[in-house]
Amino acid sequence: MTQEVEMKDAQAPSNSITTPCGPSTLQHLKEISFLIETGAYGKEVRRIVRAVRLTIMLRRKFKAATLSAFITFALPSGSETHHKLSFYLPKEDEHDMDVDSASSAAQQGHAKHSLPEIEIYCYLIVLIFLIDQKRYDEAKACSSACIARLKTVNRRTVDVLACRIYFYYSYSHELTNSLAEIRGNLLALHRMATLRHDELGQETLLNLLLRNYLHYNLYDQAEKLRSKAPRFEAHSNQQFCRYLFYLGKIRTIQLEYTDAKESLLQAARKAPVAARGFRIECNKWAIIVRLLLGEIPERTVFMQKGMKKALVPYFELTNAVRIGDLELFRIVAEKFSGIFGSDRTNNLIVRLRHNVIRTGLRNISISYSRISLSDVAKKLRLDSDNPVADAESIVAKAIRDGAIDATIDHANGWMLSKETGDIYSTNEPQIAFHSRIAFCLNMHNEAVKALRFPPNSHKEKESAEKRRERQQQEQELAKHIAEEDDDDF
């Protein structure tokens, strides 16, 4: 996955946010700032998380004039942060403002915030706006200024906002092909997060560093960092999915296909349904890994909703491997070489050639009890100078590896296949059942670990009014929980 797959909102926000007669975008931003202020004073991180979710829902409505008005409302006019952020927001015409002057003037009398959380939040919304407007160089400068400010703040309520800043900091540099410039800074930030026991920041920065290394094909360095970085229970499902995907890519390059398959399939399964681009990338790599393991993915893998077109090259590749046709495999590899190159799976496709030959040889062994080596070479379509000798060496290696149960008659130049025994007399069915049971038990344990409960729920007794308010907020957020923080993908 060479380019950041930034998922867009799969559906429009709820009616409480999008109705024309409802509150304006500026009013919503002010309400979010009050939510952040409440969370900061009460040290409730969950309120900050909710504020970030609500901001993502408003993202498409951001305008320069609206953000400028909010920054003027939230920050003291003479502050350094206000001056920096105002520079990125040019003034627009009056009709671009989605709030009337009367309500703006009424709110203007509110006391200015001096909380670091509000300051970082202002940086965040301006940074999102700059990236959406494709002003990447300005986004780089804005994110760098915010990172410098974050280094001076050590508050747990800032950690959620800081993770977003880290993500867009790396993303803006990736969009300008300058990821290598920030690698040292990301390492310093990860060290700082570790010393501050900021586990959410460690998760985010570790994934950004792994992505940075893999972008330049530095797989050994990525594995060294991953193996030495502190590990703990995942706090963010999105970051855990990313970690599994990067781990699967590293394991694939290191020829550890079994572990790679498990990581990639788990990442695809845990990813939100709306994160289609991320799930497509996971499935592409998982298909290649399964083919390298000698497995043939089911047709339903390629028929998933929204993925059929993107997985066509890998479907044809799988068909060539399943048949064991070396010529068809070569044609498919050449036909989709551009797509495989952009997906960075070309090297893995080269490895598959041996699996195609082995599959074709297995089909021949099942079909014929005795066949000449020259006919084996013709059926495998070997295009070398001495195909018979090559066929003999291929058959010998397959017999040694246990891929086929046969012998070679060197005097007559034949391959003699042995009769297929009863597979149920072996331990293979037991091994297959064991793997399925272990998979189900593991999924159950992960589901139990993922259960979340509100803090101090056994101590607090909420009134009926508060309960109704909480249930209403939960219903509004339930529509967006599937694509929760989609831009992470």
Side-chain angles (χ1 to χ4, degrees):
M1 190 165 66
T2 59
Q3 297 180 350
E4 186 66 34
V5 184
E6 186 174 24
M7 296 304 301
K8 303 298 181 184
D9 292 338
Q11 59 184 12
S14 61
N15 292 334
S16 62
I17 288 182
T18 59
T19 48
C21 58
S24 64
T25 304
L26 178 58
Q27 185 61 35
H28 279 300
L29 288 174
K30 291 177 181 179
E31 292 174 358
I32 291 173
S33 70
F34 294 142
L35 185 62
I36 293 175
E37 184 179 6
T38 305
Y41 284 126
K43 297 182 180 180
E44 296 179 282
V45 178
R46 61 188 178 89
R47 293 186 181 273
I48 311 295
V49 174
R50 182 181 299 174
V52 173
R53 288 179 182 171
L54 294 173
T55 303
I56 299 303
M57 292 158 56
L58 291 173
R59 178 173 183 169
R60 292 183 179 180
K61 295 186 173 185
F62 285 170
K63 295 181 181 179
T66 305
L67 298 185
S68 179
F70 174 73
I71 290 171
T72 302
F73 162 79
L75 301 174
S77 58
S79 65
E80 182 182 359
T81 304
H82 183 278
H83 176 72
K84 287 182 179 179
L85 295 180
S86 298
F87 174 76
Y88 301 113
L89 300 172
K91 298 296 182 181
E92 295 185 0
D93 297 334
E94 292 294 330
H95 66 272
D96 287 332
M97 286 288 291
D98 59 352
V99 62
D100 58 289
S101 57
S103 62
S104 178
Q107 294 291 340
Q108 203 64 24
H110 190 277
K112 299 296 182 182
H113 299 280
S114 58
L115 289 173
E117 289 82 1
I118 297 295
E119 185 178 344
I120 300 302
Y121 179 73
C122 291
Y123 269 111
L124 176 62
I125 59 177
V126 172
L127 184 53
I128 292 175
F129 173 76
L130 292 175
I131 291 177
D132 288 346
Q133 296 295 315
K134 300 184 178 180
R135 295 158 59 183
Y136 301 136
D137 291 330
E138 295 178 49
K140 282 174 56 177
C142 180
S143 61
S144 299
C146 187
I147 291 295
R149 178 69 178 93
L150 278 173
K151 290 181 179 179
T152 64
V153 180
N154 184 13
R155 295 162 65 104
R156 297 287 70 82
T157 48
V158 177
D159 292 344
V160 176
L161 298 170
C163 290
R164 290 289 176 171
I165 298 295
Y166 297 150
F167 170 77
Y168 289 115
Y169 174 60
S170 176
Y171 186 43
S172 60
H173 282 78
E174 182 175 351
L175 291 171
T176 54
N177 297 319
S178 56
L179 267 180
E181 298 176 5
I182 62 170
R183 190 179 303 151
N185 205 6
L186 289 177
L187 288 168
L189 290 170
H190 185 269
R191 182 169 59 251
M192 181 181 71
T194 304
L195 294 175
R196 293 178 174 179
H197 302 286
D198 176 11
E199 295 185 350
L200 189 58
Q202 291 179 60
E203 275 186 334
T204 304
L205 289 165
L206 177 60
N207 285 334
L208 293 177
L209 283 165
L210 291 177
R211 180 178 184 81
N212 197 306
Y213 284 124
L214 298 184
H215 182 79
Y216 295 100
N217 295 324
L218 302 175
Y219 287 91
D220 290 338
Q221 295 185 33
E223 172 58 19
K224 289 179 181 178
L225 172 68
R226 188 209 62 80
S227 61
K228 295 181 179 180
R231 292 300 303 160
F232 37 79
E233 186 177 353
H235 291 266
S236 169
N237 180 62
Q238 288 77 18
Q239 297 301 332
F240 186 49
C241 290
R242 281 183 167 276
Y243 175 78
L244 290 173
F245 175 65
Y246 297 142
L247 178 60
K249 293 179 71 172
I250 293 172
R251 290 287 183 258
T252 303
I253 299 299
Q254 293 178 336
L255 306 180
E256 299 177 11
Y257 298 134
T258 303
D259 294 341
K261 171 191 169 185
E262 182 179 352
S263 297
L264 292 168
L265 292 179
Q266 191 176 4
R269 189 179 70 250
K270 285 179 171 288
V273 177
R276 186 172 58 188
F278 179 80
R279 291 169 56 230
I280 287 174
E281 292 295 325
C282 290
N283 277 285
K284 287 179 179 179
W285 279 75
I287 289 168
I288 297 294
V289 170
R290 293 183 67 180
L291 291 176
L292 289 169
L293 282 170
E295 302 176 7
I296 303 298
E298 300 81 4
R299 182 179 289 268
T300 54
V301 173
F302 305 95
M303 299 293 115
Q304 298 180 65
K305 184 179 180 180
M307 300 187 189
K308 185 175 180 180
K309 183 177 180 180
L311 296 180
V312 166
Y314 295 87
F315 175 74
E316 295 193 19
L317 188 70
T318 301
N319 189 46
V321 175
R322 181 182 62 84
I323 297 173
D325 191 332
L326 202 58
E327 182 64 21
L328 179 59
F329 173 79
R330 183 187 62 79
I331 293 173
V332 172
E334 291 179 356
K335 179 181 177 181
F336 299 105
S337 59
I339 296 176
F340 296 145
S342 62
D343 293 339
R344 292 195 173 188
T345 54
N346 263 336
N347 292 337
L348 304 178
I349 303 300
V350 173
R351 297 183 192 177
L352 275 177
R353 184 178 184 275
H354 176 69
N355 291 63
V356 176
I357 295 174
R358 176 174 292 190
T359 303
L361 190 58
R362 189 183 298 115
N363 293 337
I364 294 172
S365 174
I366 294 173
S367 302
Y368 298 91
S369 60
R370 184 179 70 179
I371 186 173
S372 65
L373 294 175
S374 59
D375 290 337
V376 171
K378 290 179 182 178
K379 290 185 177 294
L380 292 178
R381 300 189 184 184
L382 301 178
D383 54 356
S384 58
D385 297 333
N386 192 353
V388 177
D390 288 346
E392 185 174 358
S393 62
I394 290 171
V395 171
K397 188 176 187 304
I399 293 173
R400 186 193 64 183
D401 295 342
I404 61 174
D405 190 8
T407 57
I408 298 178
D409 186 347
H410 295 282
N412 298 317
W414 291 338
M415 181 184 77
L416 303 174
S417 301
K418 298 180 181 179
E419 292 185 6
T420 304
D422 182 12
I423 193 173
Y424 289 99
S425 62
T426 66
N427 290 331
E428 289 193 23
Q430 179 185 356
I431 295 172
F433 279 119
H434 174 73
S435 64
R436 295 178 185 179
I437 293 171
F439 174 80
C440 293
L441 291 175
N442 185 41
M443 181 182 293
H444 173 266
N445 292 335
E446 290 178 357
V448 172
K449 289 180 181 179
L451 292 174
R452 295 182 180 179
F453 302 93
N456 300 326
S457 59
H458 61 289
K459 298 180 181 178
E460 299 178 355
K461 292 184 178 180
E462 57 183 358
S463 62
E465 182 180 353
K466 288 186 177 180
R467 187 183 302 109
R468 284 195 299 270
E469 181 182 354
R470 177 179 56 81
Q471 290 175 349
Q472 182 180 0
Q473 292 175 347
E474 290 176 353
Q475 289 175 359
E476 291 178 359
L477 290 175
K479 298 179 181 179
H480 308 277
I481 200 68
E483 60 269 10
E484 176 188 70
D485 302 341
D486 284 343
D487 59 323
D488 269 359
F489 290 98

